[in-house]
Amino acid sequence: MRTFLSPSDLGDLQTAFREAQDIKANRFRYDTLGRNKTALLIFFNNSLRTRLSTQKAAMNLGMNVIVLDVNQGAWKLETERGVVMDGDKSEHLLEAIPVMGSYCDVIGVRSFARFENREDDYTEQILRQFIQYSGRPVFSMESATVHPLQAFADFITIEEHKRTARPKVVLTWAPHPKALPQAVPNSFAEWMVAAGYDLTIAHPEGYELSEQFTQGARITHNQDEALEGADFVYAKNWSAYATLNYGKVLSKDMSWTISSEKMALTNDAAFMHCLPVRRNMIVTDEVIESPRSLVIPEAANREISATVVLKRMLEAL
Ligand code: AN0
Ligand code: CP
């Protein structure tokens, strides 16, 4: 595997799930595969889970790991070509990328949507340059439009906890004070459809996601109706995708917060969220602390999804 952005990079998802189970049963099973190989993890944005779980995954495989927080200690990077670099940016990404590639065997990149230009974000400008110029396999650790390590972990979590062959999964928008990317809901929708689940997406008007990721899902503006009979409720905030409002917060409607009353509409659904989560905005204390909350095992599965992905990349070196 040379890139990891979407479920198709993994091929058959049931095979990938079995590989995940095999690794979960003994996460050190392939601990010599990464001997003398180096993973470079590059963060343009903050992270707790991705940073720790991906390092842990690399260590499970016997790899060496280098973590770089680009905004803390590295030179400020110019990303646009053709710019006269007379400002505060000391180095261009076009030199920095091949240099970084020369010190490692695989590269993970976290680079959120910037909300400056939808076209730039949705063509994955930063990640694509890493793929093109690093000479290394590259995986997204949440890039402008996708968060596949999260969605793979979410898929593993649902497979582990589902009570029917084809569960009803509801992805619901929930309120948040700041503008957040669409990467998590984009990937979640894409992976749930690829997994063959019954997916409903609920959001207020104006929060339509890119159809590129939601084909095959039922979409509604009525959250209560969506929650009826749900087996899994996946809450997440995102900002608007629509052209004129791209990256904007259009609503902070607290009637969309996932509460016990909302969960009572479901088929005793499990609650999921990728974390970090703002309590009593996205979800009430009661729901996130309830026995039906999967947020901690879901986060723990990030180590497993990352181990599978790094293993596949090492095998293809
Ligand atoms: C990020 C987001 O919503 O994309 C990361 C989630 C994994 N969340 C925040 O910035 C709070
Ligand atoms: N879920 C997730 O990716 O969390 P971090 O932003 O903390 O890495």
Short mmCIF file of all heavy atoms in Angstrom, two decimals, residues 46 49-50 110 112 142 147 150 176 179-185 236-238 273-278 302, ligand 1:
data_model
loop_
_atom_site.label_atom_id
_atom_site.label_comp_id
_atom_site.label_asym_id
_atom_site.label_seq_id
_atom_site.Cartn_x
_atom_site.Cartn_y
_atom_site.Cartn_z
N ASN A 46 -2.86 20.18 15.99
CA ASN A 46 -2.82 19.49 17.28
C ASN A 46 -3.36 18.06 17.18
O ASN A 46 -4.16 17.76 16.29
CB ASN A 46 -3.69 20.23 18.31
CG ASN A 46 -3.11 21.58 18.64
OD1 ASN A 46 -1.93 21.85 18.41
ND2 ASN A 46 -3.96 22.46 19.17
N ARG A 49 -4.88 11.63 20.26
CA ARG A 49 -5.03 10.22 19.87
C ARG A 49 -4.16 9.82 18.69
O ARG A 49 -3.49 8.78 18.74
CB ARG A 49 -6.49 9.92 19.49
CG ARG A 49 -7.40 9.64 20.66
CD ARG A 49 -8.77 10.20 20.39
NE ARG A 49 -8.67 11.65 20.38
CZ ARG A 49 -8.73 12.40 21.50
NH1 ARG A 49 -8.98 11.85 22.64
NH2 ARG A 49 -8.56 13.71 21.45
N THR A 50 -4.19 10.60 17.63
CA THR A 50 -3.47 10.21 16.41
C THR A 50 -1.97 10.15 16.69
O THR A 50 -1.27 9.23 16.27
CB THR A 50 -3.79 11.22 15.29
OG1 THR A 50 -5.21 11.27 15.15
CG2 THR A 50 -3.16 10.82 13.98
N ARG A 110 -0.65 15.03 9.22
CA ARG A 110 -1.87 15.70 9.69
C ARG A 110 -1.87 17.13 9.19
O ARG A 110 -1.00 17.92 9.56
CB ARG A 110 -1.99 15.67 11.22
CG ARG A 110 -3.08 16.63 11.70
CD ARG A 110 -3.62 16.33 13.07
NE ARG A 110 -4.45 15.14 13.07
CZ ARG A 110 -5.38 14.87 13.99
NH1 ARG A 110 -5.59 15.69 14.99
NH2 ARG A 110 -6.08 13.75 13.92
N PHE A 112 -5.01 19.80 8.46
CA PHE A 112 -6.46 20.06 8.38
C PHE A 112 -6.80 20.98 7.21
O PHE A 112 -5.95 21.73 6.72
CB PHE A 112 -6.94 20.77 9.65
CG PHE A 112 -7.00 19.91 10.89
CD1 PHE A 112 -7.38 20.50 12.09
CD2 PHE A 112 -6.69 18.56 10.88
CE1 PHE A 112 -7.45 19.75 13.26
CE2 PHE A 112 -6.75 17.80 12.04
CZ PHE A 112 -7.13 18.40 13.24
N GLU A 142 -5.48 12.66 9.30
CA GLU A 142 -6.50 13.68 9.08
C GLU A 142 -5.90 14.77 8.24
O GLU A 142 -5.16 15.64 8.71
CB GLU A 142 -7.16 14.30 10.32
CG GLU A 142 -8.32 15.23 9.86
CD GLU A 142 -9.17 15.85 10.94
OE1 GLU A 142 -9.26 15.31 12.07
OE2 GLU A 142 -9.79 16.88 10.63
N HIS A 147 -10.24 11.48 7.21
CA HIS A 147 -9.56 10.98 8.42
C HIS A 147 -9.70 9.45 8.43
O HIS A 147 -10.44 8.88 9.24
CB HIS A 147 -10.16 11.61 9.66
CG HIS A 147 -9.33 11.46 10.90
ND1 HIS A 147 -8.11 10.80 10.92
CD2 HIS A 147 -9.53 11.89 12.18
CE1 HIS A 147 -7.61 10.83 12.14
NE2 HIS A 147 -8.46 11.49 12.93
N GLN A 150 -9.22 7.14 11.57
CA GLN A 150 -10.36 7.22 12.47
C GLN A 150 -11.50 6.36 11.95
O GLN A 150 -12.07 5.55 12.70
CB GLN A 150 -10.82 8.68 12.61
CG GLN A 150 -11.98 8.86 13.55
CD GLN A 150 -11.63 8.49 14.98
OE1 GLN A 150 -10.63 8.96 15.50
NE2 GLN A 150 -12.42 7.65 15.61
N HIS A 176 -21.37 23.02 18.07
CA HIS A 176 -19.98 23.24 18.50
C HIS A 176 -19.70 24.73 18.30
O HIS A 176 -20.17 25.32 17.32
CB HIS A 176 -19.06 22.38 17.62
CG HIS A 176 -17.63 22.33 18.04
ND1 HIS A 176 -16.72 23.29 17.68
CD2 HIS A 176 -16.95 21.44 18.80
CE1 HIS A 176 -15.53 22.99 18.20
NE2 HIS A 176 -15.65 21.87 18.88
N ALA A 179 -15.62 26.54 14.05
CA ALA A 179 -15.70 25.85 12.76
C ALA A 179 -14.77 24.64 12.74
O ALA A 179 -13.58 24.77 13.02
CB ALA A 179 -15.33 26.80 11.63
N LEU A 180 -15.31 23.48 12.43
CA LEU A 180 -14.51 22.26 12.34
C LEU A 180 -14.54 21.71 10.91
O LEU A 180 -15.50 21.94 10.18
CB LEU A 180 -15.04 21.20 13.30
CG LEU A 180 -14.92 21.51 14.80
CD1 LEU A 180 -15.45 20.34 15.62
CD2 LEU A 180 -13.47 21.82 15.19
N PRO A 181 -13.50 20.97 10.53
CA PRO A 181 -13.44 20.38 9.18
C PRO A 181 -14.54 19.35 8.94
O PRO A 181 -15.16 18.85 9.89
CB PRO A 181 -12.07 19.70 9.17
CG PRO A 181 -11.30 20.25 10.31
CD PRO A 181 -12.30 20.67 11.34
N GLN A 182 -14.70 18.97 7.68
CA GLN A 182 -15.64 17.90 7.31
C GLN A 182 -14.94 16.54 7.22
O GLN A 182 -15.57 15.54 6.86
CB GLN A 182 -16.28 18.21 5.95
CG GLN A 182 -17.14 19.46 5.94
CD GLN A 182 -16.44 20.64 5.28
OE1 GLN A 182 -15.63 20.46 4.38
NE2 GLN A 182 -16.75 21.85 5.72
N ALA A 183 -13.65 16.48 7.52
CA ALA A 183 -12.87 15.26 7.28
C ALA A 183 -13.45 14.04 8.01
O ALA A 183 -13.58 12.96 7.41
CB ALA A 183 -11.41 15.48 7.68
N VAL A 184 -13.78 14.20 9.28
CA VAL A 184 -14.27 13.05 10.05
C VAL A 184 -15.62 12.56 9.50
O VAL A 184 -15.76 11.37 9.18
CB VAL A 184 -14.32 13.35 11.57
CG1 VAL A 184 -15.06 12.25 12.31
CG2 VAL A 184 -12.90 13.52 12.12
N PRO A 185 -16.62 13.45 9.34
CA PRO A 185 -17.87 12.94 8.76
C PRO A 185 -17.73 12.45 7.32
O PRO A 185 -18.37 11.45 6.95
CB PRO A 185 -18.83 14.14 8.83
CG PRO A 185 -17.97 15.34 9.03
CD PRO A 185 -16.76 14.85 9.78
N LYS A 236 -21.06 14.22 15.53
CA LYS A 236 -19.88 14.99 15.12
C LYS A 236 -20.33 16.36 14.65
O LYS A 236 -21.35 16.47 13.98
CB LYS A 236 -19.15 14.27 13.96
CG LYS A 236 -17.88 14.98 13.48
CD LYS A 236 -16.75 14.88 14.49
CE LYS A 236 -15.49 15.63 14.05
NZ LYS A 236 -15.53 17.05 14.47
N ASN A 237 -19.58 17.37 14.99
CA ASN A 237 -19.83 18.68 14.38
C ASN A 237 -18.99 18.82 13.13
O ASN A 237 -17.89 18.28 13.03
CB ASN A 237 -19.47 19.80 15.36
CG ASN A 237 -19.62 21.16 14.70
OD1 ASN A 237 -18.66 21.71 14.16
ND2 ASN A 237 -20.83 21.68 14.69
N TRP A 238 -19.52 19.57 12.17
CA TRP A 238 -18.71 20.00 11.03
C TRP A 238 -19.22 21.35 10.57
O TRP A 238 -20.35 21.74 10.89
CB TRP A 238 -18.71 18.97 9.91
CG TRP A 238 -20.03 18.65 9.26
CD1 TRP A 238 -20.60 19.30 8.20
CD2 TRP A 238 -20.94 17.57 9.61
NE1 TRP A 238 -21.78 18.70 7.86
CE2 TRP A 238 -22.01 17.63 8.70
CE3 TRP A 238 -20.94 16.56 10.58
CZ2 TRP A 238 -23.09 16.73 8.75
CZ3 TRP A 238 -22.00 15.68 10.62
CH2 TRP A 238 -23.06 15.76 9.72
N HIS A 273 -18.12 8.79 19.20
CA HIS A 273 -17.56 10.08 18.79
C HIS A 273 -16.05 9.89 18.68
O HIS A 273 -15.45 9.17 19.48
CB HIS A 273 -17.89 11.18 19.81
CG HIS A 273 -17.50 12.55 19.33
ND1 HIS A 273 -16.21 13.01 19.39
CD2 HIS A 273 -18.23 13.53 18.76
CE1 HIS A 273 -16.16 14.23 18.87
NE2 HIS A 273 -17.37 14.57 18.48
N CYS A 274 -15.44 10.55 17.71
CA CYS A 274 -14.00 10.35 17.47
C CYS A 274 -13.13 10.94 18.58
O CYS A 274 -11.98 10.53 18.72
CB CYS A 274 -13.63 10.95 16.13
SG CYS A 274 -13.87 12.73 16.04
N LEU A 275 -13.67 11.89 19.34
CA LEU A 275 -12.92 12.66 20.33
C LEU A 275 -11.85 13.51 19.63
O LEU A 275 -11.34 13.07 18.61
CB LEU A 275 -12.29 11.78 21.41
CG LEU A 275 -13.24 10.82 22.16
CD1 LEU A 275 -12.44 10.03 23.23
CD2 LEU A 275 -14.41 11.55 22.81
N PRO A 276 -11.47 14.67 20.11
CA PRO A 276 -11.92 15.28 21.35
C PRO A 276 -13.37 15.78 21.23
O PRO A 276 -13.77 16.24 20.17
CB PRO A 276 -10.97 16.48 21.51
CG PRO A 276 -10.63 16.88 20.11
CD PRO A 276 -10.59 15.59 19.34
N VAL A 277 -14.10 15.69 22.33
CA VAL A 277 -15.51 16.10 22.30
C VAL A 277 -15.77 17.18 23.35
O VAL A 277 -15.18 17.15 24.44
CB VAL A 277 -16.43 14.88 22.53
CG1 VAL A 277 -16.42 14.39 23.97
CG2 VAL A 277 -17.85 15.18 22.08
N ARG A 278 -16.60 18.13 23.00
CA ARG A 278 -17.04 19.15 23.97
C ARG A 278 -18.32 18.65 24.61
O ARG A 278 -19.37 18.58 23.95
CB ARG A 278 -17.25 20.49 23.28
CG ARG A 278 -15.93 21.07 22.82
CD ARG A 278 -16.10 22.50 22.40
NE ARG A 278 -14.86 23.02 21.87
CZ ARG A 278 -14.32 24.18 22.21
NH1 ARG A 278 -14.91 24.96 23.11
NH2 ARG A 278 -13.21 24.59 21.66
N ARG A 302 -7.83 2.96 17.61
CA ARG A 302 -6.94 3.73 16.73
C ARG A 302 -5.55 3.09 16.67
O ARG A 302 -4.88 3.15 15.64
CB ARG A 302 -6.85 5.18 17.23
CG ARG A 302 -8.14 6.00 17.05
CD ARG A 302 -8.42 6.25 15.58
NE ARG A 302 -7.26 6.85 14.95
CZ ARG A 302 -6.99 8.17 14.97
NH1 ARG A 302 -7.84 9.00 15.54
NH2 ARG A 302 -5.90 8.64 14.40
C1 AN0 B 1 -10.81 18.01 14.72
C2 AN0 B 1 -11.92 17.86 13.66
O1 AN0 B 1 -13.08 18.05 13.97
O2 AN0 B 1 -11.58 17.55 12.51
C3 AN0 B 1 -10.13 16.70 14.96
C4 AN0 B 1 -11.00 15.52 15.23
C5 AN0 B 1 -10.28 14.24 15.20
N1 AN0 B 1 -11.39 18.49 15.96
C6 AN0 B 1 -11.05 19.64 16.52
O3 AN0 B 1 -10.30 20.42 15.94
C7 AN0 B 1 -11.65 19.98 17.84
#
